[in-house]
Amino acid sequence: MIVCKAEFWSGPNGLLFRLIRRPKHIRAHVLYVAPLFEEANRTRHVFTRSALAVYNFGYQSYIYDPIGTGDSQGTLAEVSLAMWQQELLAQIIDIKSSSQLPIVLCVAASGALLLTAEIVNAVTGMQLWHPEFDGGKFVRQFKRLALAQDMMKPEKSQQSLTQPYADIVGYTMKNQLLVDLAHQSISHLFTNITRLITKVVWFELYHQQHEPLALVRKKQQDQFTSYYNQLQIEDLIDNKPWQANELLEAKALIVATSHCLAELLDD
Amino acid sequence: MNNIQDVSVVLSQILSQIMPSYPAEFWQADTALFGAIAEFDSMSIVNLIGEIEDGFDIVIADEDIEAEHFSTVASLAELVLGLVQANTSES
């Protein structure tokens, strides 16, 4: 039987709700980093499936709600990007303080915008699930949620970056959070990394076979590779994790993730 | 890609990927989208915009995120074709 423990972990900015699955013989740790906002809830199901799949290899898994979201302490309106980055790093340091075993991050989509040089080089491996490193594009898309919702309403909502807070599809947050996220990019991530010591696998998801890689995705991959030529890119035909559900599974991604995590233990 | 039929075909493929619960043949030029399909919510619209931008290498302006452009596959194809042609003439 799989042992799953729910806890409130005392992070640098408040209590984080975490689900920890701890096998009897732990061989490594995997920490799941969710995408931001709406996609976070939709990805939870795939994180759970992946955590269950790697449990038998001896991976202790951590799935958490960032501060100000889900069941963790605080509200989104109080959150800054730095707080989310601090708590991610703090969890890695906390695991390291009591274990010498490898630590791997599984980062989904816009969760990549939380990565810093310090975080990346603190872990043994990193699996990127169709990552979004273009903060500007992400924020543009997020704001479009409000525009798309306005299409359904007779009156348009007014949003301005000069106001301290933004209200987008029910999420109230500091405008500064969006400004900071918009500044995130691959070049920004690698600014302070002189040597990447982390093994990185990039899973690019396609809807169907022979689908061409979109130009904007290729640019991101090329840019990452220009900083880190050991990048392993794996193309998968599968549903995006945030579009998957009980009926629409992301099976190929879960299998590939498990395979790579198992390989890491053999290295 | 410079005609409305070709753009409609690609849009139908994208819609089929975003909303796979509908059979591929459901997506035709005259298929009504906004206000007609329950799953066509704000998240789907934004996903669709993202896929269109990536696939056609265009940018859809905020002003163009209007119900009239998203009413049918054909109306969306007209918007996309206009942006593709504007892109081509610029480069």
Side-chain angles (χ1 to χ4, degrees):
Chain A
M1 196 177 96
I2 289 179
V3 181
C4 180
K5 185 183 89 169
E7 67 167 25
F8 284 97
W9 181 77
S10 184
N13 302 300
L15 297 175
L16 295 188
F17 177 76
R18 304 200 302 186
L19 286 175
I20 299 177
R21 290 178 174 84
R22 183 187 170 90
K24 197 169 178 187
H25 301 291
I26 303 171
R27 295 178 67 198
H29 307 270
V30 57
L31 179 56
Y32 290 88
V33 182
L36 308 178
F37 309 123
E38 195 63 18
E39 288 174 355
N41 299 329
R42 297 176 182 226
T43 307
R44 177 59 67 92
H45 168 74
V46 182
F47 275 176
T48 303
R49 295 293 299 272
S50 173
L52 295 174
V54 299
Y55 183 91
N56 291 330
F57 300 141
Y59 271 94
Q60 172 159 307
S61 64
Y62 306 76
I63 298 175
Y64 76 101
D65 291 338
I67 202 80
T69 73
D71 292 320
S72 287
Q73 204 174 4
T75 64
L76 188 61
E78 301 166 293
V79 166
S80 67
L81 176 59
M83 287 164 77
W84 281 342
Q85 292 169 328
Q86 284 161 8
E87 71 191 15
L88 176 53
L89 183 61
Q91 289 181 87
I92 297 166
I93 291 170
D94 183 58
I95 297 168
K96 279 185 158 180
S97 69
S98 58
S99 171
Q100 305 269 311
L101 297 170
I103 303 173
V104 181
L105 292 184
C106 265
V107 184
S110 55
L113 298 175
L114 302 191
L115 297 174
T116 63
E118 215 177 351
I119 290 168
V120 172
N121 265 346
V123 295
T124 321
M126 194 162 68
Q127 301 215 343
L128 304 170
W129 290 2
H130 207 81
E132 181 53 78
F133 282 102
D134 184 343
K137 183 187 166 204
F138 171 78
V139 170
R140 197 163 60 241
Q141 280 287 82
F142 184 58
K143 286 181 176 172
R144 282 170 170 170
L145 274 174
L147 294 171
Q149 206 169 52
D150 274 356
M151 279 168 53
M152 298 163 194
K153 294 185 203 161
E155 283 183 25
K156 309 272 182 209
S157 55
Q158 297 292 319
Q159 298 286 336
S160 166
L161 276 178
T162 55
Q163 293 167 345
Y165 291 94
D167 194 345
I168 298 176
V169 290
Y171 294 97
T172 303
M173 71 204 76
K174 289 176 187 157
N175 258 320
Q176 191 58 43
L177 174 60
L178 295 177
V179 171
D180 291 343
L181 285 170
H183 282 136
Q184 295 297 95
S185 65
I186 289 175
S187 55
H188 191 259
L189 167 65
F190 281 97
T191 305
N192 297 316
I193 300 181
T194 49
R195 196 171 71 90
L196 191 60
I197 54 171
T198 307
K199 183 181 163 63
V200 186
V201 185
W202 176 311
F203 293 108
E204 187 70 25
L205 300 172
Y206 295 83
H207 292 289
Q208 59 197 10
Q209 219 161 10
H210 309 305
E211 185 184 325
L213 178 63
L215 200 61
V216 288
R217 300 292 305 164
K218 184 165 180 359
K219 276 182 194 165
Q220 288 197 32
Q221 288 186 356
D222 289 348
Q223 204 183 3
F224 202 106
T225 311
S226 71
Y227 289 102
Y228 176 62
N229 61 12
Q230 307 287 305
L231 179 68
Q232 184 185 334
I233 298 173
E234 293 213 8
D235 295 337
L236 297 174
I237 298 164
D238 208 349
N239 298 303
K240 306 259 167 62
W242 57 95
Q243 289 168 352
N245 54 43
E246 296 283 352
L247 300 172
L248 203 66
E249 294 182 333
K251 209 179 265 180
L253 178 65
I254 291 167
V255 169
T257 298
S258 306
H259 182 73
C260 283
L261 289 175
E263 264 185 356
L264 190 98
L265 294 177
D266 297 334
D267 284 350
Chain B
M1 190 167 301
N2 56 7
N3 71 64
I4 204 86
Q5 285 80 17
D6 288 349
V7 174
S8 294
V9 168
V10 176
L11 286 181
S12 297
Q13 287 168 352
I14 294 173
L15 285 160
S16 179
Q17 290 157 1
I18 291 176
M19 287 174 272
S21 50
Y22 292 86
E25 57 273 19
F26 174 78
W27 305 105
Q28 304 293 332
D30 60 354
T31 304
L33 301 172
F34 181 67
I37 296 172
E39 291 92 330
F40 202 65
D41 57 8
S42 51
M43 190 74 179
S44 301
I45 292 169
V46 172
N47 280 336
L48 175 62
I49 293 169
E51 297 282 348
I52 289 172
E53 287 187 334
D54 286 358
F56 289 92
D57 197 20
I58 55 171
V59 175
I60 295 179
D62 288 353
E63 307 85 83
D64 287 329
I65 304 176
E66 292 284 350
E68 60 176 304
H69 291 308
F70 290 82
S71 61
T72 63
V73 174
S75 65
L76 190 54
E78 269 178 46
L79 170 70
V80 172
L81 183 60
L83 293 170
V84 170
Q85 287 172 338
N87 243 7
T88 313
S89 62
E90 272 173 25
S91 56

